[in-house]
Amino acid sequence: MKDLVFATHNAHKLEELRAILKDFNILGLHDINCHEDIVEDGETLKDNAIIKANYVTNNYHIDCFADDTGLEVETLNGAPGVFSARYAGDGHDSEANMQKLLHELEGKDNRKAQFRTAICLIMDGQEYLFEGIVKGEIIKEKRG
């Protein structure tokens, strides 16, 4: 079975992917002793996925894929987008991010939004890019 690193420390994501990708031995960053916080300073979600996948491939010499996901709100011109995780500040505080978003949407009728995910896979020396979108809308109160 071929080893493939998913550039994440998120145990739940790893568990989900292991259930889906049964033809691969899915490893997380912890499994390869990568404890660094890989800096995601790209201008787009695709840039950040590429940065993470290249970091692992170049430093650990193993095939890897990485993702970056952002929430894009139509009436906010696509914001928060690539800044979704740190929308309310650098602390990656999801509660603060949700509160800021709900505040900025107060009084706005257009609440159309989408989650965009970019994935970079580096396998056998080749780079592949994928993107997926799930459309929806932002409700008026926080749930979940």
Side-chain angles (χ1 to χ4, degrees), residues 49-67:
I50 291 168
I51 288 167
K52 290 189 286 188
N54 275 298
Y55 181 91
V56 170
T57 301
N58 292 336
N59 290 286
Y60 295 87
H61 311 290
I62 188 167
D63 290 339
C64 176
F65 71 102
D67 74 316

Side-chain angles (χ1 to χ4, degrees), residues 57-87:
T57 301
N58 292 336
N59 290 286
Y60 295 87
H61 311 290
I62 188 167
D63 290 339
C64 176
F65 71 102
D67 74 316
D68 197 21
T69 299
L71 175 66
E72 301 170 338
V73 181
E74 187 174 286
T75 196
L76 301 178
N77 298 316
V82 72
F83 303 105
S84 293
R86 55 191 182 278
Y87 192 47

Side-chain angles (χ1 to χ4, degrees), residues 1 9-10 13-14 28 47 50 57 60 70-72 81 92 95-96 98-99 102 104 112 130 140:
M1 192 176 316
H9 291 289
N10 185 318
K13 279 186 177 183
L14 286 167
D47 290 343
I50 291 168
T57 301
Y60 295 87
L71 175 66
E72 301 170 338
H92 297 271
E95 179 67 30
M98 285 185 276
Q99 292 303 326
L102 289 173
E104 291 189 0
K112 292 179 186 175
F130 307 92
K140 294 188 177 187

